[in-house]
PDB file of all heavy atoms in Angstrom:
ATOM      1  N   GLU A  50     -12.973  30.599  -3.209  1.00  0.00           N
ATOM      2  CA  GLU A  50     -14.053  29.700  -2.777  1.00  0.00           C
ATOM      3  C   GLU A  50     -14.683  29.081  -3.961  1.00  0.00           C
ATOM      4  O   GLU A  50     -15.129  27.917  -3.894  1.00  0.00           O
ATOM      5  CB  GLU A  50     -15.077  30.577  -1.831  1.00  0.00           C
ATOM      6  CG  GLU A  50     -14.596  31.062  -0.523  1.00  0.00           C
ATOM      7  CD  GLU A  50     -13.437  32.091  -0.687  1.00  0.00           C
ATOM      8  OE1 GLU A  50     -13.491  32.824  -1.657  1.00  0.00           O
ATOM      9  OE2 GLU A  50     -12.617  32.113   0.269  1.00  0.00           O
ATOM     10  N   GLU A  51     -15.015  29.884  -5.030  1.00  0.00           N
ATOM     11  CA  GLU A  51     -15.806  29.393  -6.234  1.00  0.00           C
ATOM     12  C   GLU A  51     -14.771  28.315  -6.790  1.00  0.00           C
ATOM     13  O   GLU A  51     -15.200  27.386  -7.363  1.00  0.00           O
ATOM     14  CB  GLU A  51     -15.984  30.505  -7.173  1.00  0.00           C
ATOM     15  CG  GLU A  51     -17.118  31.326  -6.895  1.00  0.00           C
ATOM     16  CD  GLU A  51     -17.264  32.563  -7.731  1.00  0.00           C
ATOM     17  OE1 GLU A  51     -16.225  33.336  -7.837  1.00  0.00           O
ATOM     18  OE2 GLU A  51     -18.255  32.619  -8.420  1.00  0.00           O
ATOM     19  N   ARG A  52     -13.458  28.650  -6.923  1.00  0.00           N
ATOM     20  CA  ARG A  52     -12.564  27.611  -7.553  1.00  0.00           C
ATOM     21  C   ARG A  52     -12.600  26.279  -6.834  1.00  0.00           C
ATOM     22  O   ARG A  52     -12.587  25.240  -7.369  1.00  0.00           O
ATOM     23  CB  ARG A  52     -11.219  28.165  -7.711  1.00  0.00           C
ATOM     24  CG  ARG A  52     -11.208  29.272  -8.820  1.00  0.00           C
ATOM     25  CD  ARG A  52      -9.785  29.882  -9.002  1.00  0.00           C
ATOM     26  NE  ARG A  52      -9.602  31.079  -8.289  1.00  0.00           N
ATOM     27  CZ  ARG A  52      -8.428  31.534  -7.711  1.00  0.00           C
ATOM     28  NH1 ARG A  52      -7.388  30.779  -7.774  1.00  0.00           N
ATOM     29  NH2 ARG A  52      -8.422  32.770  -7.130  1.00  0.00           N
ATOM     30  N   MET A  53     -12.546  26.458  -5.446  1.00  0.00           N
ATOM     31  CA  MET A  53     -12.642  25.210  -4.582  1.00  0.00           C
ATOM     32  C   MET A  53     -14.018  24.521  -4.788  1.00  0.00           C
ATOM     33  O   MET A  53     -13.927  23.287  -4.707  1.00  0.00           O
ATOM     34  CB  MET A  53     -12.421  25.551  -3.188  1.00  0.00           C
ATOM     35  CG  MET A  53     -11.035  26.039  -2.938  1.00  0.00           C
ATOM     36  SD  MET A  53     -10.726  26.507  -1.272  1.00  0.00           S
ATOM     37  CE  MET A  53     -11.013  25.076  -0.300  1.00  0.00           C
ATOM     38  N   ALA A  54     -15.164  25.273  -4.976  1.00  0.00           N
ATOM     39  CA  ALA A  54     -16.336  24.599  -5.088  1.00  0.00           C
ATOM     40  C   ALA A  54     -16.515  23.832  -6.376  1.00  0.00           C
ATOM     41  O   ALA A  54     -16.929  22.623  -6.351  1.00  0.00           O
ATOM     42  CB  ALA A  54     -17.397  25.682  -5.031  1.00  0.00           C
ATOM     43  N   MET A  55     -15.889  24.458  -7.382  1.00  0.00           N
ATOM     44  CA  MET A  55     -15.969  23.697  -8.697  1.00  0.00           C
ATOM     45  C   MET A  55     -15.167  22.394  -8.651  1.00  0.00           C
ATOM     46  O   MET A  55     -15.457  21.269  -9.075  1.00  0.00           O
ATOM     47  CB  MET A  55     -15.319  24.645  -9.796  1.00  0.00           C
ATOM     48  CG  MET A  55     -16.221  25.725 -10.212  1.00  0.00           C
ATOM     49  SD  MET A  55     -15.519  26.713 -11.628  1.00  0.00           S
ATOM     50  CE  MET A  55     -14.873  28.124 -10.721  1.00  0.00           C
ATOM     51  N   LEU A  56     -14.005  22.461  -7.954  1.00  0.00           N
ATOM     52  CA  LEU A  56     -13.122  21.196  -7.725  1.00  0.00           C
ATOM     53  C   LEU A  56     -13.989  20.176  -6.968  1.00  0.00           C
ATOM     54  O   LEU A  56     -14.019  19.011  -7.224  1.00  0.00           O
ATOM     55  CB  LEU A  56     -11.923  21.578  -7.002  1.00  0.00           C
ATOM     56  CG  LEU A  56     -10.694  22.091  -8.025  1.00  0.00           C
ATOM     57  CD1 LEU A  56      -9.653  22.885  -7.195  1.00  0.00           C
ATOM     58  CD2 LEU A  56     -10.039  20.990  -8.759  1.00  0.00           C
ATOM     59  N   ARG A  57     -14.480  20.672  -5.809  1.00  0.00           N
ATOM     60  CA  ARG A  57     -15.313  19.741  -4.879  1.00  0.00           C
ATOM     61  C   ARG A  57     -16.553  19.038  -5.738  1.00  0.00           C
ATOM     62  O   ARG A  57     -16.681  17.881  -5.645  1.00  0.00           O
ATOM     63  CB  ARG A  57     -15.891  20.531  -3.758  1.00  0.00           C
ATOM     64  CG  ARG A  57     -14.909  20.483  -2.481  1.00  0.00           C
ATOM     65  CD  ARG A  57     -15.723  20.847  -1.259  1.00  0.00           C
ATOM     66  NE  ARG A  57     -16.372  22.169  -1.346  1.00  0.00           N
ATOM     67  CZ  ARG A  57     -15.740  23.285  -1.049  1.00  0.00           C
ATOM     68  NH1 ARG A  57     -14.565  23.380  -0.659  1.00  0.00           N
ATOM     69  NH2 ARG A  57     -16.416  24.488  -1.201  1.00  0.00           N
ATOM     70  N   GLU A  58     -17.247  19.907  -6.427  1.00  0.00           N
ATOM     71  CA  GLU A  58     -18.290  19.213  -7.226  1.00  0.00           C
ATOM     72  C   GLU A  58     -17.853  18.227  -8.251  1.00  0.00           C
ATOM     73  O   GLU A  58     -18.495  17.398  -8.565  1.00  0.00           O
ATOM     74  CB  GLU A  58     -19.138  20.354  -7.950  1.00  0.00           C
ATOM     75  CG  GLU A  58     -19.914  21.362  -6.928  1.00  0.00           C
ATOM     76  CD  GLU A  58     -20.331  22.619  -7.605  1.00  0.00           C
ATOM     77  OE1 GLU A  58     -20.443  22.827  -8.810  1.00  0.00           O
ATOM     78  OE2 GLU A  58     -20.517  23.526  -6.725  1.00  0.00           O
ATOM     79  N   THR A  59     -16.721  18.474  -8.718  1.00  0.00           N
ATOM     80  CA  THR A  59     -16.155  17.610  -9.809  1.00  0.00           C
ATOM     81  C   THR A  59     -15.455  16.285  -9.214  1.00  0.00           C
ATOM     82  O   THR A  59     -15.835  15.166  -9.711  1.00  0.00           O
ATOM     83  CB  THR A  59     -15.070  18.317 -10.624  1.00  0.00           C
ATOM     84  OG1 THR A  59     -15.666  19.534 -11.077  1.00  0.00           O
ATOM     85  CG2 THR A  59     -14.485  17.525 -11.843  1.00  0.00           C
ATOM     86  N   LEU A  60     -14.727  16.534  -8.172  1.00  0.00           N
ATOM     87  CA  LEU A  60     -14.036  15.383  -7.623  1.00  0.00           C
ATOM     88  C   LEU A  60     -14.894  14.504  -6.591  1.00  0.00           C
ATOM     89  O   LEU A  60     -14.536  13.459  -6.191  1.00  0.00           O
ATOM     90  CB  LEU A  60     -12.714  15.863  -6.820  1.00  0.00           C
ATOM     91  CG  LEU A  60     -11.740  16.439  -7.853  1.00  0.00           C
ATOM     92  CD1 LEU A  60     -10.682  17.255  -7.205  1.00  0.00           C
ATOM     93  CD2 LEU A  60     -11.157  15.453  -8.901  1.00  0.00           C
ATOM     94  N   GLY A  61     -16.006  15.155  -6.107  1.00  0.00           N
ATOM     95  CA  GLY A  61     -16.947  14.318  -5.162  1.00  0.00           C
ATOM     96  C   GLY A  61     -16.228  14.230  -3.839  1.00  0.00           C
ATOM     97  O   GLY A  61     -15.252  14.900  -3.484  1.00  0.00           O
ATOM     98  N   ASP A  62     -16.492  13.093  -3.252  1.00  0.00           N
ATOM     99  CA  ASP A  62     -16.088  12.779  -1.876  1.00  0.00           C
ATOM    100  C   ASP A  62     -15.011  11.817  -1.826  1.00  0.00           C
ATOM    101  O   ASP A  62     -14.968  10.868  -1.052  1.00  0.00           O
ATOM    102  CB  ASP A  62     -17.258  12.262  -0.987  1.00  0.00           C
ATOM    103  CG  ASP A  62     -18.143  13.339  -0.620  1.00  0.00           C
ATOM    104  OD1 ASP A  62     -17.734  14.512  -0.558  1.00  0.00           O
ATOM    105  OD2 ASP A  62     -19.402  12.986  -0.323  1.00  0.00           O
TER     106      ASP A  62
END
Side-chain angles (χ1 to χ4, degrees):
E50 291 69 28
E51 284 173 302
R52 287 181 260 151
M53 289 175 63
M55 286 184 256
L56 280 158
R57 264 197 306 272
E58 287 163 26
T59 305
L60 297 168
D62 285 335

